[in-house]
C-alpha cells in the first residue's frame, strides 16, 4: 500500500497501537481519522494533533457503525483505507460461568465488530483503486494463550476472514476491496507508539480495480 496521501480511518484510535499508528501515519502525510468510544480522548487527540479528525464509534453497536459509515461518506468521501484495530483482550476462566459474557464480548467487538465495519465501509472503498482494508489480528491466533481462549479464537477467525478475501476468485462471493491485510502486531505490553508489522508476505493481493482486484499481485502492506 502507499504510505502517504491516504485518507485513513483507524478504529481503536484512542490509545495503544491504534493511536500510535494514527500519529505515525499523520506525520507521514496522510489524512487520519481516529475512532473510538471515549469522546474525551478523541477531543484531546484532535486538539493536540491539528489535522487529525475523530469519529465517535462503538464497534459493538451496529447502529453506531451505520452512523459512522454515513458520516464518513459525507465528510470523507475520499476515504481509501480502513484499519480495523479496535479490540479487547481479557482473561477468562472456562469453569466460571461469569466468564461467558466476557467470551461473548470478545466475539462482538473483535470479530463481529470487524466484520460489520467491513460490510459498512466497503461501499465507500470499492471504487478506489488504492483501497486497503487492514485487520489487526495477533500472533495468539496461531500460538493460543490459555487464559484468553475466546480472544485467541476471534483473532484466528479474523485471520481466516482476511485470508478469504485475499484469495477468493475475482468473481466469487467475497466482498470487494482492492487490498486486504492481516496486520499482526508485535506483542507489547506498552500502550505507546507501536506500528503493526505485516505478518506474512505470501497472501496479499492488490489490483487496479475491484473487478480485477485478485488477479494482479499487489505491493502488499
Ligand atoms: N498490545 C499487544 O501486544 C497486541 C498484540 C497483538 C494484537 N493486538 C491487537 O491490537 C489491537 C489494539 O490493541 P492495543 O493493545 O493497542 O489495545 P488498547 O490500548 O486497549 O486499545 C484498544 C482500542 O480499542 C478501542 N475499543 C475497544 N472496544 C471498542 C468498541 N466496542 N468500539 C470501538 N472501539 C473500541 C479502544 O477505544 P475506546 O475505549 O475509546 O472505545 C482503544 O482505542 C487490538 O485489536 C489487539 O487485539 C495487540
Amino acid at each position: 500500500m502507499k504510505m502517504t496521501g491516504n485518507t485513513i480511518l483507524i478504529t481503536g484510535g484512542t490509545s495503544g497501537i491504534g493511536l500510535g499508528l494514527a500519529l505515525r501515519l499523520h506525520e507521514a502525510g496522510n489524512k487520519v481519522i481516529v475512532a473510538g468510544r471515549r469522546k474525551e480522548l478523541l477531543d484531546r487527540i484532535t486538539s493536540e494533533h491539528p489535522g487529525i479528525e475523530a469519529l465517535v464509534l462503538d464497534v459493538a453497536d451496529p447502529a453506531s457503525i451505520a452512523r459512522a459509515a454515513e458520516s464518513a461518506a459525507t465528510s470523507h468521501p475520499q476515504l481509501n483505507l480502513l484499519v480495523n484495530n479496535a479490540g479487547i483482550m481479557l482473561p477468562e476462566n472456562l469453569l466460571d460461568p461469569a466468564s461467558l459474557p466476557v467470551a461473548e464480548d470478545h466475539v462482538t467487538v473483535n470479530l463481529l465488530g470487524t466484520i460489520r465495519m467491513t460490510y459498512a465501509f466497503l461501499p465507500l472503498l470499492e471504487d478506489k483503486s488504492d483501497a486497503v482494508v487492514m485487520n489487526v489480528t495477533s500472533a495468539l491466533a496461531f500460538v493460543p494463550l490459555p487464559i484468553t481462549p475466546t480472544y485467541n479464537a476471534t483473532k484466528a477467525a479474523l485471520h481466516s476472514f482476511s485470508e478469504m478475501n485475499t484469495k477468493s476468485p475475482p468473481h466469487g462471493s467475497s466482498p470487494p476491496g482492492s487490498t486486504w491485510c492481516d496486520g499482526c502486531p508485535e506483542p507489547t505490553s506498552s500502550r505507546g507508539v507501536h506500528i503493526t508489522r505485516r505478518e506474512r508476505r505470501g497472501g496479499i493481493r492488490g489490483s487496479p480495480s475491484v473487478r480485477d482486484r485478485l488477479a494482479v499481485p499487489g505491493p502488499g502492506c
Side-chain angles (χ1 to χ4, degrees), residues 31-46:
K31 179 74 196 171
V32 175
I33 305 127
V34 288
R37 295 163 301 173
R38 288 173 287 178
K39 178 84 169 61
E40 69 283 4
L41 286 184
L42 293 172
D43 289 344
R44 192 191 305 167
I45 293 164
T46 53

Side-chain angles (χ1 to χ4, degrees), residues 11-18 35-38 41 57-60 84-89 109-110 136-139 151 155 185-191:
T11 70
T14 52
S15 65
I17 291 170
R37 295 163 301 173
R38 288 173 287 178
L41 286 184
L57 169 69
D58 181 351
V59 299
N84 285 312
N85 164 77
I88 56 171
M89 179 185 180
V109 174
N110 296 3
V136 176
T137 66
S138 170
Y151 174 86
K155 294 300 184 177
E186 300 280 4
T188 176
S189 58
S190 150
R191 294 171 74 88

Side-chain angles (χ1 to χ4, degrees), residues 67-83:
R67 278 194 301 275
E70 208 171 303
S71 161
T74 306
S75 313
H76 301 287
Q78 71 281 24
L79 187 84
N80 70 313
L81 212 165
L82 169 65
V83 182

